[in-house]
Amino acid sequence: MTRRLLLGLGLIAAILPLPVKAAENAHLSIDASKAGAKIDRNLFGQFAENLGHGLYEGIWVGPDSPIPNTHGIRKDVVTALRALKVPNIRWPGGCFADQYHWRKGIGPAGQRPATINSVWGGVVDNNSFGTDEFMDFIQQIGSQAYVSVNVGSGTPQEAAEWLEYMTAAQPTALAKERAANGHPDPYKVGFMGIGNESWSCGGDMTPDYYVSQLKIYSRFAGNMNPAQQDKNQMLKIAVGPGFPVTEWTEAVMKAWQQHDWSWNIDGLSVHWYTTPGGWPLSMTSTDFGVDDYAKTLKSTLFMDEFLRKQEEVMDKYDPQKKVALVVDEWGAWYKPLPGSNPSFLVQQNSLRDAILASLNLNIFARHADRVRMANIAQMINVLQAMILTDKEKMVVTPTYYVYRMYVPFQDATFVPVDFDPGTVHREDITLPRLDAIAAKDASGKLWLEITNLDPEKPVEIDAEISGITVKTAEGETLTAPAVDSVNTFAAPNTVVPKPVSASVKGGRLALTVEPKSVTVISLEP
Ligand code: AHR
């Protein structure tokens, strides 16, 4: 078929790689002596809800499965996730958290009750992946636990006892029960979320009602692990808004400003998904063209304004930025894949999602003085996932590779990059052509990330670097033939990073970034 005919049939964007046009030029200026905030490693957190095949099949296959596993947890998934140095994982929800009763998920596997996951598809849950399995998973991948306690249908006592089960070192009845379940040592719990979307699925509360609950849960659900009393204390995270409004943030932050010794919070959560075109969802995760690519990226860039709005209110009540803004649900949310259970939120993950991920991570890095934690939704088989599985098969997604490329930015110090991003026009949409962040790691290396949003044009970069003497530059770039290129079980290497060539001479870095690409360069003295 000719290009003209394909164009007529509306198939061209999905089938043929875009033509590469003449390069644009961009000048970047980086002064490594101008250190900013720390890019907290917790910004690279994940979210694993009991939803669809996120936990069951995605992580948990059970010890008797023919799929290679360690205590029931998939080995292939653990190996893949270890490479991301996942700093924290939020579990068990999401909306599921406010229907979860933890006692049903402990004890001998065969004796756990079957329950209904009424939030996500009404499926039967045999509760074989419970607290001890989650903690085992956390330990296997070398991460930290972020548990969401049930405020909607639970009680402060239930939450307090869950924390005691997990963290008590003294021989209490609950600590002994944990020991009998194979775990004599107390677990570390890095973060505790107090409810989830309490303005909607978490109980449809008013801000004032939620604040009264927040105080009680914060007061009574405590971490008893002796190793988390003075140092490494568990951080408590309150529910915040999921819309670009500030009434809820006002209520929580005002209460926080007046808090006494008896309760406290360390973070305020916000949820913001990229849903191009809004609800009901219309955007597909596969077989789309450049217009939908542009529409999606335009929509995702709203994250910056969304955060600014919340930060303004937080700054009013907390100018010292003691309370972190925690974006504990974010990512692309598209129409479910045809043929999948719509309640399981299954979607593919393309090069577009890799670019979307880098844009959001860069926004978080620019807000790093207040935004100190974020959790992409969700880790495996759900929404913008790192990993897709189908029985024994596993494939890592373009978003996975972005997270792997960004590992050096974890806990690095933000360094501002001055540049004119330029513009790309697509129908009525105008996008910046370029995005970039830089950071200095503990060993003194400078890291530079450049995202080229332009679907057709490469950009020749000339970066002037001061405040550090750099001699060598090396790095990788992630791109693919089309904006909707994906990795599949049959073709897992369509979107994979490859080495990029860059040169440094007299404090200037030169390289060309390909169209629709994410590039990370290390610059060494
Ligand atoms: O991530 C899917 C759902 O989105 C979560 O359960 C909920 O908190 C949000 O609305």
Side-chain angles (χ1 to χ4, degrees), residues 47 49 94-95 120 196-197 271 273 329 333 345 378 383:
F47 174 33
E49 180 164 14
C95 294
W120 300 114
N196 172 76
E197 298 192 354
H271 292 177
Y273 285 95
E329 287 187 31
W333 193 330
L345 315 186
Q378 298 194 6
L383 299 177

Side-chain angles (χ1 to χ4, degrees), residues 3 106 141 153 203 249 262 323 434 446 460 464-465 513:
R3 176 172 280 274
I106 58 163
I141 70 164
S153 68
T249 307
S262 68
V323 179
L434 221 61
L446 184 67
E460 285 175 9
E464 199 182 325
I465 300 162
V513 288

Side-chain angles (χ1 to χ4, degrees), residues 9 32 34 65-66 103 116 137 154 176 195 223 264 266 270 291 331 417 425 442 473 499 525:
L9 292 172
K34 285 190 188 153
S65 170
R103 286 210 69 95
I116 294 285
F137 174 56
K176 284 185 185 167
N223 186 315
N264 197 2
D266 307 282
V270 287
D291 292 340
V417 183
H425 303 281

Side-chain angles (χ1 to χ4, degrees), residues 259-393:
H259 82 94
D260 63 9
W261 65 270
S262 68
W263 74 279
N264 197 2
I265 55 165
D266 307 282
L268 176 80
S269 131
V270 287
H271 292 177
W272 187 249
Y273 285 95
T274 300
T275 54
W279 301 88
L281 298 165
S282 54
M283 186 65 76
T284 59
S285 61
T286 56
D287 302 318
F288 55 87
V290 174
D291 292 340
D292 281 347
Y293 164 85
K295 192 171 171 190
T296 306
L297 297 188
K298 183 79 189 173
S299 163
T300 216
L301 288 169
F302 180 72
M303 179 64 90
D304 185 58
E305 195 180 322
F306 180 85
L307 297 177
R308 266 178 219 290
K309 249 193 159 70
Q310 306 305 327
E311 284 167 346
E312 257 173 48
V313 177
M314 294 181 83
D315 286 350
K316 191 166 78 181
Y317 295 104
D318 172 26
Q320 291 176 297
K321 302 189 195 294
K322 289 185 177 164
V323 179
L325 190 52
V326 175
V327 192
D328 58 12
E329 287 187 31
W330 70 273
W333 193 330
Y334 307 122
K335 273 170 84 162
L337 277 185
S340 67
N341 181 335
S343 300
F344 285 9
L345 315 186
V346 180
Q347 62 191 44
Q348 243 299 1
N349 193 294
S350 65
L351 177 64
R352 174 183 61 181
D353 297 305
I355 291 175
L356 182 154
S358 79
L359 294 175
N360 280 279
L361 292 173
N362 291 359
I363 291 171
F364 300 153
R366 289 192 194 96
H367 288 255
D369 57 347
R370 177 70 81 178
V371 179
R372 300 196 283 269
M373 182 156 164
N375 301 74
I376 189 168
Q378 298 194 6
M379 193 162 60
I380 303 169
N381 292 330
V382 177
L383 299 177
Q384 189 174 347
M386 304 289 124
I387 292 176
L388 302 175
T389 67
D390 179 17
K391 303 193 179 64
E392 77 291 353
K393 291 178 274 192

Side-chain angles (χ1 to χ4, degrees), residues 61-238:
V61 288
D64 301 328
S65 170
I67 299 172
N69 67 84
T70 308
H71 318 138
I73 293 165
R74 292 180 77 120
K75 285 189 174 177
D76 51 358
V77 163
V78 168
T79 304
L81 290 173
R82 285 187 74 86
L84 301 189
K85 299 196 188 303
V86 179
N88 70 81
I89 301 179
R90 180 171 181 252
W91 172 83
C95 294
F96 180 78
D98 282 299
Q99 78 149 69
Y100 187 57
H101 300 286
W102 67 273
R103 286 210 69 95
K104 299 191 172 161
I106 58 163
Q111 291 170 27
R112 298 185 193 178
T115 51
I116 294 285
N117 186 337
S118 57
V119 191
W120 300 114
V123 294
V124 174
D125 180 358
N126 65 13
N127 281 290
S128 46
F129 189 87
T131 304
D132 295 306
E133 291 73 26
F134 173 64
M135 291 298 188
D136 189 10
F137 174 56
I138 287 287
Q139 189 266 325
Q140 286 190 35
I141 70 164
S143 190
Q144 279 202 92
Y146 174 9
V147 295
S148 302
V149 301
N150 181 343
V151 174
S153 68
T155 62
Q157 182 181 358
E158 184 184 8
E161 288 178 355
W162 192 17
L163 266 292
E164 182 181 332
Y165 176 82
M166 291 187 281
T167 63
Q170 289 159 304
T172 69
L174 283 166
K176 284 185 185 167
E177 201 174 348
R178 186 190 65 233
N181 290 334
H183 305 275
D185 292 336
Y187 295 117
K188 281 197 177 153
V189 177
F191 309 91
M192 177 177 75
I194 301 177
N196 172 76
E197 298 192 354
S198 307
W199 31 267
S200 172
C201 69
D204 204 7
M205 301 171 191
T206 61
D208 288 348
Y209 182 79
Y210 174 73
V211 166
S212 66
Q213 296 297 301
L214 172 68
K215 291 177 180 173
I216 295 168
Y217 277 77
S218 166
R219 167 80 186 101
F220 295 108
N223 186 315
M224 299 175 179
N225 190 326
Q228 293 192 269
Q229 300 312 304
D230 303 324
K231 290 188 293 180
N232 305 316
Q233 286 191 11
M234 179 180 79
L235 304 185
K236 297 181 179 179
I237 297 165

